[in-house]
Amino acid sequence: MARYTESVCRLCRREGTKLFLKGDRCYGAKCAVTRRNSAPGEHKQSRRRVSEYGHQLREKQKARRTYGVLERQFEGYFDEAERMKGVAGENLFELLERRLDNVVYRMGFCASRAQARQFVTHAHFTVNGKKVNIPSYLVSAGDVIAVKQQSRDIARFKEAREGADRVVPGWLSFNADGLEGTVVRLPVGDDIDLSIQRQLIVELYSR
């Protein structure tokens, strides 16, 4: 599967905001946006005036890069969101939030979505007792996500058990002792704490 392999800090600098792609590093003084809040490249010091289309594109890119999905994947999510009942923008982010790699990250098992995607791919998690190694797997209300018994001695999972300070969103619950979490309900708009203007993404795909 194709994936982005360059420096993720360049993505944050390109968008001009923190996308929290490197876990704990993003909260410290070493964060690239904190040190150099300018676009990468030869003309990094001059941010040009952005058109309406440019604003729409930037919001789409923020969302796509935050969740770590490719262009065609993102388009597929939007097409499905439009077919669902309700507001397309909210449906889109509900689908992205339900991805297994995102849920693992939100529960505090991993420090970033990229790390969560890697751990899911390496089959360290089960969903309702069954091994799932597909990062894009969409969880449902009532699903129980747990660390596989053979993987519980991995250092990252020991940290999660000993006391992660991450705030778990209200649509999820997390049991540190059992290294498992439950999808209490499906996420809604207020559960998603991202500074992304969803309507601009809808407008982009409606052009």
Side-chain angles (χ1 to χ4, degrees):
M1 181 183 71
R3 61 189 178 91
Y4 181 82
T5 58
E6 303 297 327
S7 170
V8 295
C9 292
R10 289 177 61 88
L11 301 182
C12 295
R13 290 178 58 207
R14 178 63 186 88
E15 303 307 332
T17 186
K18 293 187 179 186
L19 302 179
F20 299 98
L21 303 178
K22 297 198 75 170
D24 295 338
R25 183 189 177 98
C26 300
Y27 296 92
K30 292 184 178 181
C31 173
V33 174
T34 301
R35 296 170 60 193
R36 293 184 297 173
N37 189 14
S38 59
E42 183 179 356
H43 304 292
K44 60 184 177 182
Q45 298 300 330
S46 58
R47 289 190 183 275
R48 299 178 180 177
R49 184 177 178 180
V50 182
S51 65
E52 180 183 359
Y53 171 78
H55 281 298
Q56 295 167 350
L57 179 62
R58 293 272 58 85
E59 294 305 300
K60 187 264 291 185
Q61 294 293 69
K62 285 181 190 177
R64 189 175 68 78
R65 289 166 171 171
T66 295
Y67 288 98
V69 298
L70 300 177
E71 187 66 45
R72 290 186 65 182
Q73 286 179 298
F74 196 86
E75 290 179 5
Y77 283 122
F78 185 82
D79 289 343
E80 185 173 351
E82 280 198 310
R83 292 192 294 267
M84 296 167 60
K85 293 182 179 179
V87 181
E90 293 191 3
N91 292 341
L92 171 64
F93 280 85
E94 175 192 317
L95 291 170
L96 292 169
E97 283 288 307
R98 288 173 57 196
R99 285 174 55 99
L100 181 58
D101 55 358
N102 177 75
V103 172
V104 165
Y105 163 72
R106 291 290 197 185
M107 287 180 174
F109 285 118
C110 300
S112 66
R113 289 182 178 86
Q115 185 183 63
R117 186 160 51 252
Q118 182 183 50
F119 279 25
V120 170
T121 302
H122 291 175
H124 291 304
F125 293 96
T126 62
V127 178
N128 299 327
K130 297 181 180 180
K131 182 184 71 175
V132 178
N133 61 353
I134 303 173
S136 61
Y137 177 90
L138 294 182
V139 301
S140 301
D143 284 351
V144 177
I145 293 89
V147 177
K148 197 168 60 175
Q149 193 65 41
Q150 301 93 310
S151 304
R152 298 195 170 202
D153 289 332
I154 293 176
R156 177 62 210 178
F157 297 143
K158 288 182 178 180
E159 292 176 11
R161 182 190 291 118
E162 291 168 359
D165 55 0
R166 183 185 304 279
V167 177
V168 178
W171 60 284
L172 301 171
S173 67
F174 178 61
N175 176 6
D177 293 333
L179 281 180
E180 67 177 28
T182 303
V183 181
V184 179
R185 57 176 171 80
L186 295 183
V188 294
D190 293 340
D191 293 320
I192 304 169
D193 56 347
L194 299 174
S195 57
I196 297 175
Q197 300 180 57
R198 304 165 201 176
Q199 184 57 33
L200 291 183
I201 299 176
V202 176
E203 292 172 5
L204 175 67
Y205 282 108
S206 301
R207 294 177 72 91

